[in-house]
Amino acid sequence: MKFPLLFRLIAIHRVFIRHGLDEFIQAAYLIWPIRYFLVFSPWTLGQKRSIKNRAVRVREALEELGPVYVKFGQMVSTRQDMLPKDIGLELSKLQDQVPPFSAEKVIDQIKEIYGCNPEDIFLEFDAEALAAASIAQVHAARLKSGEDVVVKLLRPGIEKDIERDLEVLYALARLAQRYWKDARRLRPLEVVDEYKKTVHNELELMREAANASQLRRNFLGSEMLYVPEVYWDYCRSRAMVMERIYGIPISNIDKLKNSGADISKLAANGVEIFFTQVFRHNFFHADMHPGNIFVDVSDPANPRYAAVDFGIVGTLGEKDRRYLAENFLAFFDRDYHRVARLHVDSGWVPPGTRIDELESAVRTVCEPIFNRPLKDISFGQVLIRLFSIARSFDMEIQPQLVLLQKTLLNIEGLGRQLYPELDLWQTGQPVLREWMAEHSGPKAIIKRLRAEMPTLRYFADELPSILRRFSDNVNEPPPAPSKAITAQLYTFLCGIAFLISGLLLIISGVYPAWPAWALGGIGLWLLYLGRPHKP
């Protein structure tokens, strides 16, 4: 083990001892090879221990450890099915609220990035931060052309800190992989890999600017969400300049209510925005905690969200989106057999899982929920319950869905805070059903046919000449029909049938897709065997 890594582990252990959490690491055997050294070392003996609630101690320890651990705690909080309830709820409160770096360092950053003083670029620039988070902070400014903007700057030396702590997380993940019995199911190395990509994306502000531009295009003209404009001429890898927005922070519920804003409409719009981003655009803002959301109440009857901080966005594959939509619809239709089948077909549980047993488990946990009104059902808790069930069937974590789960819990939490009577299903159901109709019905087949049109057009163009050649061969002497030609024609026609069947199955989006490709392959093979040729 490298000495810097060892020293960082000692520093982490000191923090855990100070917050009374060292037993957590020892119980999980994550530092088993050096646990006794850490426990009895001079660096850890004599530390005072916090006596606060254990969940609060966990959160405060992560906040003290720095940005990597804060964001890692945010991500882990989405897997509340594998966390004690009190800790899961407390981790969801992590907000990246940290002191800003000094005005002198801000000026130095501007000079380093742009090669000149702030007054050479901006008409006005406030060196005191508007807001600060663990990775970056923002400053108010005005361009020389008159637009009010905010300037986002990375913290000095943040890249080095993150690389150091990522190395620690990988070390802990490898130890967990070796010594923790649940490691195969929870896949800690893959979770850290996914987290590494997320954090590195946040360190590249040009990427964040591109995310903001894409999201702005998706909602251009929308009455539900406003995304500020990016000023590309002033953007760099360590600095981003975008339009300054003015609004009420979403967390200030009292001010929103006093403004006369239609709170119920605002809550419903938030749900619709989420489903639209995930299923229609396949590009969703994945860091929608209260600090990143504001509300424009210039028209109280039609309040509009305004979003900031686009460092973390999410996308899903077509199969993942289809699976999620079908799972939600099946759950609320009480089609538990379908829910169980989807878990198997998607690969979330092993293929040998008995559908009837999984269906019974899903029914046992979910049926009592429907004794309550739909508005009292938490979408986020539905996911957690489903994951808890599947856990007993050896379900593995799907790292590509971690951001989605985090975003869904954030959105629902905001919605419930705004309007406790919010019926999440009533709001999201129309978007889901419409999306499913577009991707499973006749429109979807026509769309896929158009995508496959070049291939189909080739066969359509070639088929008349092929059949003409067959006709020429069949009408030629000898007078008696040739059994070879008859077999050849039969083989060729069977090939066409197999190929068309395979194409239709692929176009319809059947899952799993291997039977469709197998049919297509058999069809091509038969077409080759039965290809027309003159003796």
Side-chain angles (χ1 to χ4, degrees), residues 196-480:
K196 178 181 178 180
K197 288 188 287 187
T198 299
V199 173
H200 279 175
N201 288 345
E202 285 199 80
L203 292 175
E204 177 51 69
L205 294 186
M206 289 294 285
R207 181 190 293 269
E208 179 176 345
N211 292 340
S213 291
Q214 177 67 56
L215 202 63
R216 178 178 171 83
R217 281 197 303 274
N218 290 346
F219 284 92
L220 203 59
S222 170
E223 296 182 356
M224 295 188 295
L225 176 66
Y226 183 79
V227 179
E229 181 181 358
V230 173
Y231 293 92
W232 283 103
D233 291 343
Y234 302 91
C235 291
R236 304 291 187 272
S237 62
R238 295 181 55 82
M240 185 178 87
V241 178
M242 64 190 304
E243 174 187 359
R244 183 177 181 180
I245 59 171
Y246 297 90
I248 300 173
I250 191 69
S251 57
N252 196 337
I253 306 297
D254 291 337
K255 190 171 182 179
L256 282 174
K257 290 180 178 178
N258 292 335
S259 71
D262 188 336
I263 302 296
S264 63
K265 185 173 184 178
L266 189 65
N269 284 350
V271 177
E272 187 172 345
I273 289 169
F274 168 76
F275 282 105
T276 298
Q277 288 184 71
V278 173
F279 291 101
R280 287 197 176 282
H281 301 157
N282 191 24
F283 191 85
F284 59 93
H285 191 312
D287 197 18
M288 298 190 75
H289 62 71
N292 290 338
I293 307 296
F294 298 84
V295 181
D296 175 9
V297 293
S298 55
D299 181 3
N302 297 288
R304 183 166 64 160
Y305 289 99
V308 298
D309 196 350
F310 309 97
I312 306 177
V313 297
T315 59
L316 296 174
E318 181 73 17
K319 289 178 183 177
D320 285 328
R321 284 190 294 158
R322 187 186 182 101
Y323 159 73
L324 285 168
E326 289 186 352
N327 218 330
F328 285 144
L329 292 171
F331 175 83
F332 284 101
D333 289 339
R334 303 197 195 191
D335 188 349
Y336 304 122
H337 180 82
R338 180 67 175 153
V339 172
R341 169 60 66 184
L342 285 165
H343 272 70
V344 175
D345 289 347
S346 66
W348 278 41
V349 295
T353 302
R354 286 185 54 177
I355 300 296
D356 58 332
E357 291 183 357
L358 183 54
E359 177 187 356
S360 177
V362 172
R363 181 183 294 108
T364 300
V365 173
C366 297
E367 190 63 26
I369 294 176
F370 287 100
N371 290 329
R372 292 178 290 169
L374 279 175
K375 66 180 179 60
D376 294 336
I377 298 174
S378 163
F379 237 164
Q381 294 304 316
V382 166
L383 274 183
I384 290 171
R385 284 175 179 269
L386 288 174
F387 295 155
S388 298
I389 296 165
R391 181 179 181 180
S392 62
F393 287 85
D394 208 21
M395 184 189 81
E396 296 182 352
I397 284 181
Q398 302 299 306
Q400 76 276 16
L401 298 181
V402 169
L403 283 178
L404 177 74
Q405 297 166 41
K406 170 181 178 290
T407 305
L408 178 56
L409 290 171
N410 282 340
I411 289 292
E412 186 174 60
L414 287 174
R416 301 282 182 189
Q417 186 180 8
L418 282 171
Y419 187 64
E421 298 299 306
L422 174 68
D423 186 339
L424 195 69
W425 175 237
Q426 190 67 30
T427 306
Q429 182 188 33
V431 179
L432 280 178
R433 292 201 183 280
E434 188 175 349
W435 184 85
M436 283 298 297
E438 290 177 358
H439 286 73
S440 301
K443 290 182 179 178
I445 293 176
I446 292 172
K447 184 178 180 180
R448 291 191 182 99
L449 280 172
R450 286 176 178 171
E452 299 289 340
M453 193 58 70
T455 303
L456 296 175
R457 187 179 295 116
Y458 171 78
F459 281 105
D461 291 342
E462 292 295 319
L463 190 59
S465 63
I466 292 172
L467 293 177
R468 191 179 307 113
R469 290 160 68 184
F470 264 122
S471 177
D472 292 342
N473 285 345
V474 170
N475 291 330
E476 284 179 356

Side-chain angles (χ1 to χ4, degrees), residues 8-20:
R8 183 56 176 161
L9 282 172
I10 293 172
I12 291 171
H13 199 68
R14 282 173 56 87
V15 173
F16 273 94
I17 287 179
R18 186 158 51 251
H19 291 276

